[in-house]
Amino acid sequence: MTPGNSWDERISAFLFSPSQFLSCTTSESFLSELLDELRDEKANDHKKVLLLSALLEHPTVLCPTTSAGEGTAQELISILTFTPQKSISLKCHIMMAVTNVLICTSCLASQTKVAEDYLEFLFKTIQDTNDNTGGLSLQPLRATACDCLREMESCNPGLLSQKLETLYYLKQQETTILHQSYCTLYTQSLKNAIRLLTQEKDVDTSKLRSVLGGNEGFAWKTTGLPLSMLPFNMMTQVPQLSTMLDCKELKSILSLLLEESYLMTPISQALLLRGLIEIVAVVPAISPSIFKSQLLRLFGTAEVELMHATLLMKGTFTDSLFTAEDEHFLLKRLVGMAQHPLLRVPEKLFYMDCILHFPENRPISSSGEECLPVLVTPRLTLSLIPTVFNDSATMLCRLNLLCLVHLEADEEEEGKGLAYLFDHLMALLKIVDNQGSREMVVTSFRAVFIFLIHFNYMEKFSEKLVSSLCDLYSRHCRLAPHLINLADRIQECLEDSLWSVQLLKALQKCIVEMPPLQLTLQDLRWHLKILGRVAQESQIVQRNTICLLLNVLINSNLCERKNWQVGNAILAVCRNLLQHPTLSQMFIELADLLQHMTKHYEDTDIQDHARFYYTLLTNLSWEKLAGVLAKGPEGGQAKIRSLSAIVAENDGVTSCLTVHQTDGCVLQLMKIHEPGSQRATTGADTLETVDKQDLFEVYREQFKTPGFASEITLTYNLTHTKVTDPRFDKMFTICLHFDLNDSHYAEVSDIYVPCLFRDRKAPQVILKLKPYQPYPTSLRLSAIFTTEDGLSWHTQLPDVKVSFPEIFLPIPSPLGASHEFKEEVFDLMWNATSSGDPDSSATSLFCFKTESDKLADLIKIHFEGYQIAESQDQNAWKVLFFLPPRFHVLLKLRQAEDAVQVSIAMDNWELLPHVNAYLQNITAYCNMTTT
Amino acid sequence: MSIRALWVVSHDKGESGKLRFSRRYPTVEFRAKSLAGAQYVAVPEDRLIPQLLLTELGLIDPEKPYVAVRDDCARQQRCPAVELHVGGPSGRTLWPLLTIHQGGLILACLPLVEAPPDPRPPLPGIASVSQGLALLSGLQGFLCGTGSKLPEPDVLASRLAALPSVLLQVCPLGTPLDVPPQAGALPATVAPGPGGAQKQPAWKAGVHRGRAVVSVALTEMVRSMQYGNRNKQDMWDVHGMVMCKCEVEGVLPNVTVTLTLPPNGSPLQDILVHPCVTSLDSSILTASSVDENDGSAFSGPYKFPFSPPLEPFRLCSYTSQVPVPPILGSYQLKAEENLLKLSVVLKLHESVRNSFEYCEAQLPFFNRHQIGSVDVKVSSGQLEVSKEKNLLVWVLGQKFPKSREVTLEGSVNFSGHLFGPTDPLCTDLTAYVKLFFRVPDLTLSGCCVDQHSVQVYSSAKPRIVTTRELVSSEYYIWNSTGDAPVSSGLMIL
C-alpha cells in the first residue's frame, strides 16, 4: 500500500465517523499530522485538497478551542503563502479551510490577530477587479475571497458595514462573471449595515449617507445583531428607519442592483431579491413599488427559488405592491404549477405547501397553521384532486389539500367533491385488496387517516369505512398491525371520536363470525393481535372473544402443537381481559379458558402463566388485578413494570431491556480541592543508618519495587448537573467508565457508585491514574445507571481534565526519612541532573518579579508539601515535584534584587514546556519575565 | 439562505443504503447553532445517515410487512421535506430534510432554518428551502442527465468523483450560487469574455465564437384517458416546450422568438419562462388551465425576447386544451373461460397529419397466465407477441390507411404454463391499450415558430433552424366493459 492510499483511507474513515476515527488517536495528533503533510512540498495538490477536506468539514472536531483554531489558521495561512502560484485550486481550498476554522472556532468573533490579518488579506485580494494585475488565472482566488468575505459577514453581521463605499466601487468596476460575487457581497453587507442602523436611535439623513459612503476599517464591535430577522409578516413588527429620511441615494443603489439582477444566476437572483426585500421592509421611505418592474418577469418564472422570493415579497408588502387581481393571479399560478406536467415532483409538492400557507393581502387568521386562503375553492382545485395514478407523496399531499378545501366549502354541490374523495379512498382500498405493494398499503392507510382526521364526524363515510376495512381484513389478515396502528392514532388525535371503537368492535365481530374451518395458524396470530387490542376497549363486550378462543382451543389441535408464541398471544389477550371493567360478567368463561390452557396446552411455560392468571383471577378483586397488571406509567415503580413485563409480551419488555440514552448530560464529576492532599508515598524499607554516599542509591533502589509510587490519586464528588429532570433524582448502580484520549496513561478500570440522590450528600469517587508519561491529559467519561422506574440509561459526562500540577507528588522517601535526608537526595539529584545526560535531563531558568510577601504566599499556596528546604534568611527555597512513575522536577528559588530566579532541573526534558506553562500560570499575577 | 449538509445515498433493492457522497458546511452549522439556541440539533455523523434516511423514506427492511417506525399512518410523507429522527423513537428531529429520489439514488440536503425553530415555521417561510430544491434538481441533472434511468455505474461514479470540484463552483461555503451544469450539456466553442464596459452575465462563462446558428425545437406531448363510457368523461390535454440552442456572438446578444397560433386556436396556458427572457407582456401570462376558458383570451402572438446562455435551454413551456384527441379509440373485452375476445378500433382525427415517425399500440395483460395462442386479425400493420408472452404489440407503422381507421379483432388464449405479471389496478376486465406515437412537423395546439419570426440582433446573420413535433405521453384507452380507474377531477363536474 502506498502512503497516498492510506491517506485516502484515513481521510474517508475520518469523514465517515470522526468519533470512531478519533477513538484510536487524538485530534491534536491527527491535526498535526495533517498540517505536516500539507507542509510537505513533495505531496501533490490533489492529495492536499483531500487532506483539507477534513478541516473543511469538521473544523471544530480538529480544533476544539479558540486557541487551537488560532494556531491552525496561522499554520494554514503560512502554508497558503508558500503554495506555488499555479496551484490555484489548492489555494482556494486552503482559503476556505482558514475561513471555516476562523468562524467555527470563534476566532473571528473574538477578533484574534490572525482573523484580522486574514480579513485584510481577503480584502486586498478582491481589490484586483477585472484581474488587472493578477491575470485571468487568479480569477478563482478572487471568487473564493468574495465567498469567504460574504460568509464572514453572514456569520458576524455588520463586519463589513463600514466598507460600503469600497464594496460598491468594486462591484461597479467588475465586469467579468465575478460581478455576481461582488454584487452578493455588497448586498449582504448593505443589508446588515441598514439593519444595524435600525437598532440605533436618531438616525438622520447624514448618518445614512455616511454609512453608504463608509470607507473605514472592519467593524469588529457589532456583536448583538441577530443572524436573521426573517420571516416577516404583517403581524410581527420589525424595527424600521424613520419615514423622514432622504433615501434618494439608497433608492438609486437598490434600483441599480435590481436592474443588473438579470446578470445573475436564478439562485443568486433569489438571494439578491430577498436581501433587497429585507432592506425595503425596514426603510419605509422607499416604496415597495421599486420592485414593480421585476414583477412580470417573476410571475412568469419557471424557477422555484424565484417564485418563492416572489411569495416572500407578497407576504412582506401585501397590498402596497400587489393588487387583488395580482393576488388572484398568483394563486391560480400556484395551483397551475402544483400540477404542471413539466415540473419535478418535489417542486410541485412545495407549491402545494405554498397554497396552504399563501400570504393573503387580508388574512383571516394570523397563526402559522395550515389554513386555506379564501380564494381557494373546490372549482379552483379541481385539477389537484388525487388519483390512483399519482405517486404516494403527491397523492397524500393532494388529498390533504382537497380535504381542507371541502371542509371549508359550502355543501352547495351536494358534496360531489367529497363523494369523489371517498370513492378515491375506496379505489385505494381496492388496490390493497388486489395485492397492492407494501408501499401502496402504507399509503392507503395514511390516506384513510387524513380523511378521517377531517371527516370522522360524517357518519355515512365513517361507517362505510369501517365496513370496508373489515371486509379488507377478512381477506387480508396481514393488515392487522396497520389497522391497530390506525385505531391507535385516530384515538390519539380525536379524543372524543368513537370511530376507533367502532372499527375494533366491527373487527371483533368479523373475526368471531369467520367460519372456523378456514382458520389457519398464521391468520390466528393476526386475529389474536386484533383481539388483544379489542380487549383494551372498555366499551366493547368481550364475551364473544373468550368463546372464540375456547372454541379454537377445544376444537383444534392447537394445544398439542406446543406453539409457545401462539400460546403467549392468547395469554396476552387474557391479560387485557383481566383488566377489563366488565370482568365480572365474563368471569366464568375466562376462568374456563385459563383452566383449559392450564390443563391442556402442551407447553410448560404457557401452562404456568395460565395457572398464574387463573390464580389472580380467582383470588383478587378487579381493582387489585388492574393495579397489578397495569402497565407502569412513565416514572412509575420498577416492580410493577417488571411484573407486567414478565406476564406478557408487551412494549414494557423492550423498554426494560433497552439501555436508553439521556438527552443531555445529567451527571458530572466535581474535583475536591484539598491543598496538599497528595500524600507522599513511602518506601517499604525503614531507613537505618546509611552511608551518606549511598543515600541516593537507597533512594533509587526503591523504584525497583514494581508498582512503587506509580499512581496518582484524584478525588471527586459525583453530582447531578444543572439539568433538573425528576426522572434522574434517584440513580442506582452507577458504573463510571473512563476512556483514555492518549497513550500516556494506563487503562482505568470502571468505578461503581451504589447510588446518587439529589437531596443527599454527593458520593466520593477516587480515581487512580497510572502515568507512563506524566503529561496533562483528559479522560472521556460515560456512565450506565438505573433509575427508580427500572430503566437503564447510558449518559456521557463532561471530560475529566487532569492538569499538570495534579500529577505532582511529594518525594517518595523511605519511612522515617528526615529533612536532611530529603535535602541530601535533592542536592545529589540536582548535581546528577545538571551534569547528566543532555538527551534525557535538562536545566532551565525562569524569572519573575514579585514583592517578597507575595512570594511567600505563592510558595505557601503552590509549593507547600513539595518544599525540601528553606534557607535561613528566607530568600532561597528548594522544591521537588515527583512525577510518577519516576520523574523529578527540581526547583531552586532565589529572591534576587529585582526578581525571583527559579532554576529548574529535571530528568526528562520533555517536561520542560509543561513546567514552563505551569510556572507562567502560577506567577501570572506578578510582572514576570522569562528567559 | 444556505444549506447545512448534502448527501448522495445509493440504495439497491434489498440492500442497505450506501453513502456515495457527503458534504458538510460547518460555517452554516455554526449559524444554525446560534439561530436555534437550545433547540439546536446537530447533524449526525455520516455513518448513521443512510439508515436514518431510508427509515424516513420507508425503504428499510423491505421484506418486513410492517415496521412501526417506518409505516405509522400518522407519519405524513406528503411534503417535499421529511424529518430525520436522530435521537431514537422519542428523540429529537432534524427538519426539513429535502430529498429527491431517482432510481436507486437518493439526493438529500438540509437547509438552514433562519427563523425561530419553535413553533416550527411553515416550509414556505424558510428561504433556504427553494434554494435547496433548486440545488438538488441541478445535482440530479448533473448526476443522472435528463433521462429517467440512472446512468451506468462507472459513469455515475466518475460524475460523483467530479462533485467536489463542481460544488466548489456552485456552492462553495454552503450558500448555493448556481446549479451544477446538466450532464453532457457542454457548449461548443467558447472564448473568454471580451472584457470592456459590458458586464458578463454570471450564467455565461464566455462568448460563442464561430458560425452563428439558432435552433428552436417545439415539442408537444399529448396525454389522454379514453373510457368509451357515458359515465366517465374522456380526458386529453397537451403540454409543450420550446428548446433553444443559440450559437450567437456577443456578450448579451438579443434574440426574439415568437410563437403563433392559428386563427381560433385555443390560447396557450400556464406559460413558464426561462430566466434569460428579458421582458414579458402581461397578456402572455393571463391564460391558466385552472380558469374557465372564455373566447376572449389572448391568443398570441407570444413574443419572448431573451439573451441566450451558451448551453441549450428550455425557453418556455405551456399547456393547452385542444378540442379533440389526435387518435380516438375504443377497446372492448369479453371474457370466455380461458379466452379473451378483443376488439380495438383506432381513428385518426382528420386534422392530424397522417405521417408518423412511429405509431404503436400495446395491449398488456395482467394477473393472468401467459398468452398461449393468439387468433387476432388487424386491418392494418402487424401484430407481435412480446417475448414475455404478456403483451400484444400492434405496430401501425408510418401511416393509417386512407379511411384513417384501423381495427383489431380476435381472441387470445391464456394457456401458458407460467403466471404473467401482476398489477393491482388491472384486475378482471380492467385493461387498457397504450399508444406510442410521434408525428414530426405537427403540433396539436397549432402552435408554431416561424423561421422568419426568429429575430437575432447581431452582426453576422445566423442560420435559423426550427422544428416541431408531437409525441404521445400516457395515452391510454381503457376497456369500456371493465371498471377503469378515474384519472381526473373534471369528472366531478
Side-chain angles (χ1 to χ4, degrees):
Chain A
M1 200 194 315
T2 63
N5 251 338
S6 96
W7 269 110
D8 266 356
E9 282 163 16
R10 291 183 68 187
I11 293 288
S12 54
F14 173 74
L15 295 178
F16 193 62
S17 171
S19 70
Q20 282 185 353
F21 182 83
L22 291 178
S23 64
C24 42
T25 175
T26 64
S27 56
E28 293 91 15
S29 67
F30 183 53
L31 176 65
S32 71
E33 274 186 80
L34 276 180
L35 292 174
D36 280 348
E37 198 67 25
L38 281 170
R39 264 183 239 113
D40 185 0
E41 282 168 23
K42 281 176 226 144
N44 64 35
D45 285 7
H46 180 76
K47 180 174 166 191
K48 288 185 178 178
V49 168
L50 178 78
L51 298 175
L52 281 167
S53 62
L55 273 165
L56 271 173
E57 304 219 2
H58 296 282
T60 47
V61 172
L62 293 175
C63 313
T65 61
T66 306
S67 61
E70 214 177 330
T72 309
Q74 196 66 63
E75 284 290 334
L76 287 172
I77 291 172
S78 87
I79 292 168
L80 178 67
T81 325
F82 290 109
T83 302
Q85 205 57 263
K86 60 178 197 321
S87 304
I88 297 293
S89 167
L90 175 61
K91 284 190 144 198
C92 290
H93 277 92
I94 300 177
M95 285 164 74
M96 292 202 299
V98 176
T99 308
N100 272 335
V101 170
L102 288 179
I103 292 176
C104 296
T105 61
S106 299
C107 282
L108 187 65
S110 49
Q111 199 190 346
T112 52
K113 176 82 172 52
V114 54
E116 280 182 41
D117 294 348
Y118 186 62
L119 208 53
E120 290 292 348
F121 161 74
L122 289 179
F123 210 77
K124 201 167 147 258
T125 309
I126 66 165
Q127 311 238 341
D128 179 27
T129 48
N130 301 323
D131 309 298
N132 282 333
T133 49
L136 195 60
S137 63
L138 294 190
Q139 207 179 57
L141 289 184
R142 275 199 303 138
T144 306
C146 282
D147 292 332
C148 292
L149 280 171
R150 186 173 35 74
E151 195 58 27
M152 289 179 158
E153 171 70 27
S154 302
C155 294
N156 286 52
L159 188 64
L160 300 175
S161 59
Q162 296 167 8
K163 294 254 184 205
L164 289 183
E165 190 189 30
T166 320
L167 289 174
Y168 183 79
Y169 171 77
L170 294 175
K171 166 185 93 74
Q172 287 302 96
Q173 283 283 302
E174 184 69 35
T175 60
T176 71
I177 50 167
L178 292 200
H179 173 249
Q180 165 169 302
S181 303
Y182 283 84
C183 221
T184 37
L185 176 61
Y186 176 70
T187 319
Q188 178 79 14
S189 312
L190 177 67
K191 182 184 84 181
N192 288 339
I194 300 281
R195 282 174 59 203
L196 274 176
L197 276 185
T198 63
Q199 302 203 329
E200 284 179 32
K201 280 181 189 159
D202 306 324
V203 176
D204 56 9
T205 304
S206 66
K207 174 85 187 166
L208 176 65
R209 199 165 290 156
S210 77
V211 166
L212 294 178
N215 201 359
E216 294 152 45
F218 298 105
W220 292 98
K221 302 273 181 292
T222 55
T223 47
L225 194 62
L227 287 178
S228 159
M229 58 178 182
L230 283 171
F232 296 110
N233 61 52
M234 292 185 303
M235 306 298 163
T236 55
Q237 286 295 321
V238 284
Q240 293 188 324
L241 291 184
S242 155
T243 46
M244 306 303 287
L245 286 184
D246 176 10
C247 292
K248 257 189 217 137
E249 193 185 346
L250 179 60
K251 191 175 170 186
S252 73
I253 289 174
L254 299 186
S255 303
L256 187 63
L257 282 170
L258 273 175
E259 228 167 81
E260 289 180 346
S261 67
Y262 170 72
L263 297 168
M264 306 173 89
T265 61
I267 256 183
S268 299
Q269 270 184 51
L271 191 68
L272 176 88
L273 277 174
R274 284 177 176 273
L276 299 187
I277 292 168
E278 284 187 51
I279 293 173
V280 175
V282 298
V283 186
I286 297 181
S287 155
S289 60
I290 191 171
F291 293 106
K292 204 127 216 177
S293 59
Q294 304 292 322
L295 279 189
L296 262 180
R297 200 165 73 79
L298 292 173
F299 281 169
T301 190
E303 309 291 318
V304 62
E305 62 276 22
L306 288 176
M307 195 58 178
H308 194 191
T310 315
L311 288 173
L312 174 76
M313 211 184 271
K314 172 83 177 59
T316 309
F317 302 122
T318 62
D319 52 4
S320 53
L321 185 59
F322 294 83
T323 63
E325 288 89 73
D326 287 341
E327 178 167 80
H328 197 187
F329 168 80
L330 208 51
L331 194 58
K332 281 194 295 187
R333 190 91 187 153
L334 279 179
V335 174
M337 287 168 101
Q339 42 105 19
H340 199 288
L342 288 172
L343 294 180
R344 296 172 199 249
V345 173
E347 289 174 14
K348 291 194 254 192
L349 297 179
F350 178 66
Y351 287 131
M352 261 185 267
D353 233 20
C354 289
I355 297 172
L356 286 175
H357 298 280
F358 185 74
E360 291 178 279
N361 282 355
R362 304 191 187 289
I364 293 171
S365 82
S366 63
S367 61
E369 291 187 1
E370 291 186 354
C371 159
L372 277 185
V374 191
L375 289 171
V376 176
T377 58
R379 180 164 285 273
L380 188 73
T381 50
L382 216 47
S383 54
L384 288 179
I385 71 158
T387 76
V388 293
F389 298 100
N390 299 140
D391 64 280
S392 297
T394 305
M395 197 279 285
L396 293 173
C397 201
R398 287 182 171 200
L399 181 66
N400 181 55
L401 179 72
L402 268 284
C403 281
L404 285 168
V405 169
H406 287 286
L407 204 59
E408 294 282 321
D410 303 329
E411 289 300 312
E412 275 173 20
E413 322 154 43
E414 294 143 17
K416 259 187 174 174
L418 197 50
Y420 172 82
L421 293 183
F422 188 74
D423 288 347
H424 173 65
L425 283 193
M426 292 298 120
L428 291 177
L429 293 182
K430 193 179 158 207
I431 293 176
V432 174
D433 203 3
N434 290 329
Q435 309 294 338
S437 64
R438 179 179 68 75
E439 190 204 353
M440 198 61 216
V441 174
V442 175
T443 305
S444 303
F445 274 88
R446 286 184 174 148
V448 172
F449 176 78
I450 292 176
F451 186 85
L452 278 171
I453 285 293
H454 295 103
F455 298 110
N456 67 87
Y457 62 90
M458 298 189 73
E459 279 178 15
K460 68 171 170 177
F461 294 131
S462 59
E463 280 170 14
K464 183 113 191 282
L465 256 179
V466 166
S467 70
S468 308
L469 288 171
C470 283
D471 227 29
L472 195 60
Y473 178 74
S474 65
R475 283 188 293 276
H476 306 280
C477 300
R478 65 189 161 89
L479 298 176
H482 292 275
L483 286 162
I484 293 171
N485 173 248
L486 181 67
D488 288 345
R489 291 288 170 268
I490 291 289
Q491 217 160 32
E492 277 167 29
C493 295
L494 307 164
E495 280 173 12
D496 43 351
S497 161
L498 287 176
W499 188 84
S500 295
V501 175
Q502 286 169 12
L503 173 69
L504 291 169
K505 207 182 210 167
L507 284 171
Q508 183 200 34
K509 185 160 179 275
C510 162
I511 293 170
V512 170
E513 288 173 0
M514 270 184 200
L517 285 177
Q518 289 176 13
L519 198 65
T520 65
L521 192 63
Q522 184 53 49
D523 285 355
L524 180 65
R525 285 191 187 164
W526 295 126
H527 293 337
L528 289 171
K529 274 220 180 319
I530 296 268
L531 292 176
R533 176 67 183 82
V534 171
Q536 289 173 0
E537 289 303 326
S538 56
Q539 297 175 44
I540 302 177
V541 180
Q542 304 289 336
R543 194 186 297 259
N544 288 342
T545 301
I546 305 177
C547 294
L548 173 78
L549 295 180
L550 195 58
N551 203 3
V552 170
L553 285 174
I554 293 171
N555 294 323
S556 72
N557 61 350
L558 203 59
C559 287
E560 292 92 65
R561 286 174 99 160
K562 304 179 185 180
N563 190 321
W564 182 85
Q565 278 160 323
V566 173
N568 196 47
I570 298 176
L571 286 172
V573 181
C574 294
R575 180 175 166 277
N576 287 344
L577 290 173
L578 284 171
Q579 291 169 263
H580 203 271
T582 64
L583 181 63
S584 57
Q585 295 161 31
M586 50 186 175
F587 187 91
I588 296 173
E589 289 88 344
L590 187 55
D592 283 349
L593 176 64
L594 289 170
Q595 207 165 29
H596 185 86
M597 285 183 81
T598 314
K599 285 189 182 153
H600 302 288
Y601 207 93
E602 295 183 10
D603 180 293
T604 321
D605 184 50
I606 301 296
Q607 281 185 6
D608 288 351
H609 269 98
R611 191 174 298 115
F612 174 54
Y613 283 164
Y614 181 79
T615 319
L616 288 179
L617 175 70
T618 50
N619 288 294
L620 291 183
S621 69
W622 175 75
E623 288 78 10
K624 278 191 185 154
L625 258 181
V628 170
L629 293 173
K631 232 195 221 179
E634 284 301 307
Q637 286 294 307
K639 262 185 205 162
I640 291 182
R641 180 181 288 278
S642 41
L643 180 58
S644 60
I646 291 167
V647 292
E649 168 210 25
N650 68 356
D651 292 346
V653 180
T654 22
S655 94
C656 269
L657 296 180
T658 318
V659 176
H660 301 260
Q661 186 74 37
T662 60
D663 276 345
C665 181
V666 298
L667 282 171
Q668 59 186 356
L669 283 186
M670 303 289 278
K671 183 88 203 294
I672 302 176
H673 286 284
E674 294 169 34
S677 64
Q678 296 285 23
R679 273 157 295 161
T681 325
T682 43
D685 305 325
T686 43
L687 196 68
E688 284 156 22
T689 32
V690 182
D691 200 7
K692 204 174 170 186
Q693 301 306 322
D694 297 336
L695 268 179
F696 197 33
E697 275 312 306
V698 170
Y699 177 77
R700 296 227 282 216
E701 198 66 26
Q702 301 180 98
F703 291 93
K704 293 195 175 152
T705 317
F708 174 74
S710 60
E711 275 185 353
I712 51 169
T713 307
L714 302 169
T715 319
Y716 298 88
N717 276 335
L718 179 66
T719 65
H720 284 90
T721 53
K722 282 185 183 143
V723 182
T724 52
D725 191 332
R727 282 181 299 177
F728 303 126
D729 281 351
K730 294 181 177 173
M731 303 184 195
F732 303 93
T733 27
I734 305 158
C735 168
L736 299 170
H737 176 76
F738 296 85
D739 281 308
L740 297 173
N741 277 325
D742 48 44
S743 52
H744 305 320
Y745 287 80
E747 293 286 345
V748 183
S749 50
D750 291 354
I751 296 177
Y752 294 90
V753 178
C755 60
L756 170 64
F757 292 0
R758 203 183 283 281
D759 48 3
R760 288 198 204 162
K761 197 168 162 251
Q764 267 195 6
V765 173
I766 294 171
L767 172 64
K768 294 201 167 167
L769 285 177
K770 208 171 182 174
Y772 299 136
Q773 301 290 337
Y775 299 147
T777 187
S778 71
L779 301 160
R780 272 172 291 134
L781 174 54
S782 61
I784 289 181
F785 59 88
T786 316
T787 46
E788 225 179 332
D789 52 8
L791 298 184
S792 301
W793 294 84
H794 176 262
T795 186
Q796 203 69 40
L797 280 73
D799 285 2
V800 176
K801 296 224 156 44
V802 178
S803 63
F804 190 54
E806 282 177 301
I807 313 168
F808 298 169
L809 288 177
I811 180 166
S813 50
L815 214 60
S818 63
H819 274 291
E820 291 71 33
F821 170 81
K822 290 182 188 169
E823 190 166 359
E824 207 61 47
V825 173
F826 182 95
D827 290 340
L828 288 167
M829 207 180 295
W830 182 276
N831 293 337
T833 349
S834 39
S835 62
D837 180 8
D839 278 353
S840 60
S841 55
T843 54
S844 175
L845 184 65
F846 181 90
C847 293
F848 63 98
K849 276 185 188 168
T850 185
E851 291 147 30
S852 58
D853 55 330
K854 280 192 182 165
L855 179 64
D857 284 350
L858 186 102
I859 288 175
K860 189 164 168 44
I861 295 169
H862 296 288
F863 300 151
E864 197 182 31
Y866 308 107
Q867 197 175 323
I868 299 290
E870 183 177 343
S871 69
Q872 298 298 315
D873 50 355
Q874 292 211 344
N875 63 1
W877 296 264
K878 290 177 184 172
V879 174
L880 185 144
F881 300 131
F882 171 69
L883 296 122
R886 58 173 186 281
F887 301 110
H888 300 81
V889 173
L890 290 80
L891 306 181
K892 276 186 184 174
L893 288 90
R894 178 175 304 280
Q895 174 90 57
E897 267 172 36
D898 53 344
V900 181
Q901 289 179 3
V902 187
S903 310
I904 311 165
M906 66 206 81
D907 46 12
N908 178 355
W909 66 268
E910 287 177 41
L911 292 171
L912 183 58
H914 298 297
V915 174
N916 262 332
Y918 168 67
L919 288 174
Q920 275 177 12
N921 192 20
I922 63 168
T923 59
Y925 70 98
C926 317
N927 289 331
M928 51 157 206
T929 47
T930 41
T931 53
Chain B
M1 277 141 281
S2 310
I3 57 167
R4 291 163 67 182
L6 178 75
W7 295 283
V8 179
V9 172
S10 69
H11 154 254
D12 294 320
K13 278 248 150 65
E15 278 178 39
S16 58
K18 189 169 166 233
L19 193 71
R20 303 293 297 270
F21 178 80
S22 149
R23 181 81 171 87
R24 282 152 196 269
Y25 294 103
T27 55
V28 183
E29 201 59 30
F30 175 81
R31 282 188 268 158
K33 208 169 181 171
S34 76
L35 281 164
Q39 272 124 1
Y40 169 72
V41 181
V43 180
E45 294 190 346
D46 280 354
R47 74 187 161 90
L48 303 170
I49 292 295
Q51 178 72 5
L52 289 172
L53 193 59
L54 293 188
T55 307
E56 232 41 64
L57 297 176
L59 297 171
I60 48 156
D61 302 329
E63 71 291 345
K64 292 190 189 159
Y66 181 83
V67 179
V69 288
R70 181 191 66 189
D71 298 332
D72 190 343
C73 67
R75 177 175 280 193
Q76 298 298 340
Q77 287 178 327
R78 53 187 168 80
C79 271
V82 297
E83 270 183 326
L84 219 52
H85 290 250
V86 293
S90 61
R92 308 182 116 186
T93 58
L94 267 183
W95 180 88
L97 186 78
L98 305 174
T99 60
I100 286 188
H101 196 169
Q102 178 174 354
L105 209 60
I106 302 164
L107 314 179
C109 76
L110 183 68
L112 175 69
V113 178
E114 285 172 294
D118 197 37
R120 181 177 283 184
L123 205 58
I126 302 167
S128 315
V129 167
S130 57
Q131 307 250 330
L133 283 176
L135 183 69
L136 286 188
S137 299
L139 272 183
Q140 188 187 16
F142 174 76
L143 292 174
C144 308
T146 45
S148 58
K149 278 202 186 122
L150 283 186
E152 293 298 309
D154 51 333
V155 176
L156 183 63
S158 76
R159 286 177 186 168
L160 280 167
L163 255 194
S165 60
V166 168
L167 283 177
L168 180 66
Q169 303 284 325
V170 302
C171 188
L173 287 163
T175 305
L177 305 170
D178 196 356
V179 289
Q182 293 287 303
L186 281 175
T189 41
V190 179
Q198 175 66 61
K199 287 179 177 164
Q200 184 79 24
W203 35 265
K204 193 169 177 181
V207 293
H208 171 77
R209 285 282 150 78
R211 234 196 118 182
V213 182
V214 171
S215 32
V216 183
L218 176 54
T219 307
E220 266 187 9
M221 272 76 61
V222 58
R223 298 189 293 186
S224 184
M225 287 278 177
Q226 299 176 22
Y227 296 102
N229 183 328
R230 207 175 291 167
N231 298 323
K232 288 184 176 163
Q233 195 182 344
D234 291 354
M235 191 279 300
W236 59 91
D237 64 15
V238 159
H239 56 271
M241 57 181 181
V242 181
M243 294 296 295
C244 285
K245 187 168 185 231
C246 301
E247 294 170 330
V248 188
E249 289 191 355
V251 176
L252 278 173
N254 277 316
V255 181
T256 302
V257 165
T258 308
L259 304 184
T260 50
L261 289 177
N264 302 328
S266 64
L268 303 183
Q269 303 166 330
D270 302 334
I271 290 180
L272 300 177
V273 300
H274 191 271
C276 75
V277 173
T278 44
S279 66
L280 268 182
D281 195 290
S282 65
S283 49
I284 287 182
L285 297 177
T286 47
S288 157
S289 61
V290 174
D291 267 334
E292 296 288 292
N293 265 328
D294 57 355
S296 65
F298 176 81
S299 60
Y302 301 85
K303 267 188 189 306
F304 298 99
F306 60 92
S307 184
L310 292 168
E311 66 277 1
F313 65 101
R314 187 197 290 168
L315 176 66
C316 71
S317 63
Y318 58 83
T319 65
S320 174
Q321 283 162 12
V322 291
V324 287
I327 296 176
L328 191 65
S330 82
Y331 183 24
Q332 282 186 316
L333 285 180
K334 238 191 230 164
E336 284 177 12
E337 286 176 26
N338 224 3
L339 208 72
L340 268 188
K341 289 206 156 179
L342 329 171
S343 155
V344 182
V345 182
L346 300 176
K347 269 185 209 159
L348 181 65
H349 193 266
E350 58 203 7
S351 66
V352 178
R353 226 160 60 91
N354 188 2
S355 168
F356 291 80
E357 190 183 316
Y358 58 83
C359 181
E360 189 175 294
Q362 295 190 354
L363 292 76
F365 298 99
F366 297 101
N367 310 318
R368 294 171 189 281
H369 280 272
Q370 288 183 331
I371 295 173
S373 62
V374 177
D375 178 21
V376 172
K377 283 204 177 75
V378 290
S379 68
S380 172
Q382 305 101 45
L383 194 73
E384 294 160 10
V385 180
S386 75
K387 213 165 55 204
E388 293 79 21
K389 301 209 165 169
N390 53 33
L391 176 74
L392 293 184
V393 181
W394 182 12
V395 183
L396 286 156
Q398 274 71 42
K399 259 185 182 332
F400 273 58
K402 261 216 172 111
S403 64
R404 291 185 167 248
E405 183 174 308
V406 290
T407 56
L408 176 152
E409 295 274 355
S411 60
V412 179
N413 190 331
F414 297 92
S415 55
H417 295 297
L418 297 171
F419 206 75
T422 58
D423 182 280
L425 262 185
C426 297
T427 54
D428 300 328
L429 284 179
T430 306
Y432 59 81
V433 177
K434 191 172 182 186
L435 293 187
F436 298 85
F437 57 84
R438 182 185 210 112
V439 191
D441 203 19
L442 176 82
T443 53
L444 271 191
S445 64
C447 181
C448 76
V449 183
D450 184 6
Q451 197 173 336
H452 304 290
S453 76
V454 177
Q455 294 167 313
V456 182
Y457 304 93
S458 127
S459 49
K461 195 155 173 57
R463 195 160 71 89
I464 291 166
V465 186
T466 65
T467 58
R468 56 179 187 168
E469 63 177 356
L470 176 71
V471 185
S472 68
S473 135
E474 295 172 32
Y475 206 103
Y476 291 93
I477 296 155
W478 292 90
N479 168 28
S480 55
T481 64
D483 186 18
V486 181
S487 66
S488 151
L490 295 169
M491 299 181 190
I492 297 180
L493 294 181

